Amino acid sequence: MEFIIALVVPFIAAFVMTPYVIKLAVKVGAVDKPNHRKVHTKVMPRLGGLAIYFSFLVGFLIFLPETLEAWPILAGATIIVIIGIIDDIKEVTPKVKLAGQILAAVVTVFSGIQIEFITLPNGNIIEFGYFAIPLTILWIVAITNAINLIDGLDGLAAGVSSIILLTFSGLALSMGNPFVALLGFMLFGSTLGFIKYNFHPAKIFMGDTGSLFLGYMISVFAIMGLFKNVAVFSLIIPIVILGVPILDTTFAIIRRIVHKKPLSSPDKYHLHHCLIKLGFTHRQTVIMIYCMSAIFSMAAIIFTRATVLGATITLVALIILVELVVEITGLIS
């Protein structure tokens, strides 16, 4: 019952707050103007992540005010949100944005949240020792940016993040980790409450405030909930759940290397762009990517229950699916 309430309270808070954030975004000039890279054709407020953050904060203060382990996570999230707000209003350079992400990751890592080891299929454990710190920082920054990069269509990043959060929360609960499950359900509720205003046709974008915040939180949940608690294929499970944003980011990097462009160089060949070029509507494209994310999540759940043989077969099936998607959409064009 507590988990349901922890979901509903932030949901209501986000639902109520978002219209006020829309007015605030317009007032402070946090708007997204159309250009050759963007799908939308009119000026849109883009500070929506503020509603997600504050509604999550409401849940946090109600359900976890005395949980010391949770405060460093909130501290890192607040740093990320501040960077996002500044970027949504004034647009900061990629270097400044990266510096903020690293700072948030450092706060988290030195609070003790680290990828200290992984468990191999044969049961052996690989300890990372001192490499745990840079590895964890790299993971947090990478996943934060992966969610940020898929935020290209109305409701896309919010919906994919919701599917990921629901999967993480359910798995954490089934593995006896109620703390991560509670955090996950609260953020899931916050994101759901926001989607009402963000789904096509959107009234507001989440902006970097939202996509960076969701990416940071998801990366931390993965470390706390899955890397340490899964006996088989522990490294693969969080990666599979995050399949859509990780693949889109990976192919964006490959694409830029192939075309000899800077890694920070934007383009219109992300998965959602490619699907729209194939003739799918805005809404159809978003729903298709939701379905892809759900498939990855179901595969991850299978991994937690399967034998080594079953997990291997599932992994091969996913690789074939990815190959088909890449070939049909032309992700590396």
Side-chain angles (χ1 to χ4, degrees):
M1 188 64 181
E2 181 185 12
F3 296 103
I4 296 174
I5 297 172
L7 189 160
V8 171
V9 170
F11 171 84
I12 294 172
F15 190 84
V16 171
M17 285 182 193
T18 304
Y20 294 99
V21 172
I22 292 173
K23 294 177 182 178
L24 176 64
V26 173
K27 187 174 182 179
V28 300
V31 294
D32 201 333
K33 297 177 181 178
N35 62 33
H36 69 283
R37 282 186 52 248
K38 296 173 182 177
V39 177
H40 65 94
T41 56
K42 63 179 182 179
V43 176
M44 291 288 294
R46 63 176 180 186
L47 202 59
L50 206 57
I52 300 175
Y53 171 75
F54 276 121
S55 57
F56 174 79
L57 186 60
V58 169
F60 184 96
L61 294 175
I62 292 173
F63 297 100
L64 294 168
E66 298 178 0
T67 307
L68 295 179
E69 188 181 1
W71 282 98
I73 300 171
L74 185 63
T78 303
I79 293 170
I80 284 286
V81 167
I82 291 170
I83 290 293
I85 291 170
I86 296 170
D87 190 53
D88 284 339
I89 296 173
K90 295 185 177 180
E91 292 194 10
V92 299
T93 64
K95 288 182 180 179
V96 172
K97 198 184 298 186
L98 179 62
Q101 294 167 15
I102 292 173
L103 177 60
V106 167
V107 169
T108 306
V109 166
F110 283 96
S111 72
I113 299 171
Q114 300 177 14
I115 305 171
E116 296 169 344
F117 63 85
I118 58 169
T119 310
L120 298 177
N122 60 10
N124 291 335
I125 292 175
I126 296 179
E127 299 274 358
F128 291 120
Y130 292 113
F131 291 104
I133 292 174
L135 178 64
T136 307
I137 292 172
L138 178 63
W139 169 263
I140 292 173
V141 171
I143 299 306
T144 299
N145 281 288
I147 299 296
N148 182 239
L149 284 174
I150 65 166
D151 186 26
L153 294 180
D154 297 356
L156 182 55
V160 169
S161 295
S162 295
I163 293 167
I164 291 169
L165 287 165
L166 183 59
T167 307
F168 275 158
S169 303
L171 285 176
L173 195 59
S174 70
M175 293 171 186
N177 195 334
F179 173 60
V180 174
L182 186 62
L183 284 169
F185 281 122
M186 287 193 301
L187 189 54
F188 175 57
S190 299
T191 311
L192 277 185
F194 172 73
I195 286 179
K196 160 70 170 64
Y197 304 94
N198 185 232
F199 197 73
H200 187 71
K203 295 181 178 65
I204 185 172
F205 295 158
M206 68 166 61
D208 277 7
T209 307
S211 58
L212 294 178
F213 171 58
L214 287 173
Y216 164 80
M217 294 297 288
I218 286 169
S219 70
V220 173
F221 292 165
I223 297 167
M224 297 175 67
L226 294 180
F227 272 117
K228 298 180 181 180
N229 294 340
V230 182
V232 179
F233 280 81
S234 65
L235 179 62
I236 293 176
I237 290 169
I239 293 173
V240 170
I241 295 172
L242 289 158
V244 168
I246 286 177
L247 286 173
D248 193 41
T249 302
T250 300
F251 284 112
I253 292 170
I254 293 171
R255 198 165 54 244
R256 286 156 195 173
I257 291 173
V258 168
H259 295 289
K260 298 180 180 179
K261 293 184 177 180
L263 294 183
S264 60
S265 173
D267 62 33
K268 289 195 72 171
Y269 292 96
H270 287 284
L271 179 58
H272 53 276
H273 292 131
C274 293
L275 287 172
I276 285 178
K277 286 176 182 176
L278 288 174
F280 294 102
T281 66
H282 193 127
R283 190 176 292 239
Q284 287 170 341
T285 298
V286 170
I287 291 172
M288 286 177 68
I289 297 177
Y290 284 0
C291 291
M292 286 180 59
S293 186
I295 289 170
F296 278 110
S297 288
M298 286 188 286
I301 293 169
I302 291 171
F303 272 118
T304 66
R305 303 287 184 266
T307 61
V308 173
L309 177 61
T312 303
I313 292 171
T314 304
L315 182 59
V316 170
L318 283 178
I319 292 171
I320 293 171
L321 173 62
V322 170
E323 174 62 22
L324 288 172
V325 170
V326 171
E327 291 294 332
I328 293 171
T329 61
L331 269 177
I332 312 182
S333 299

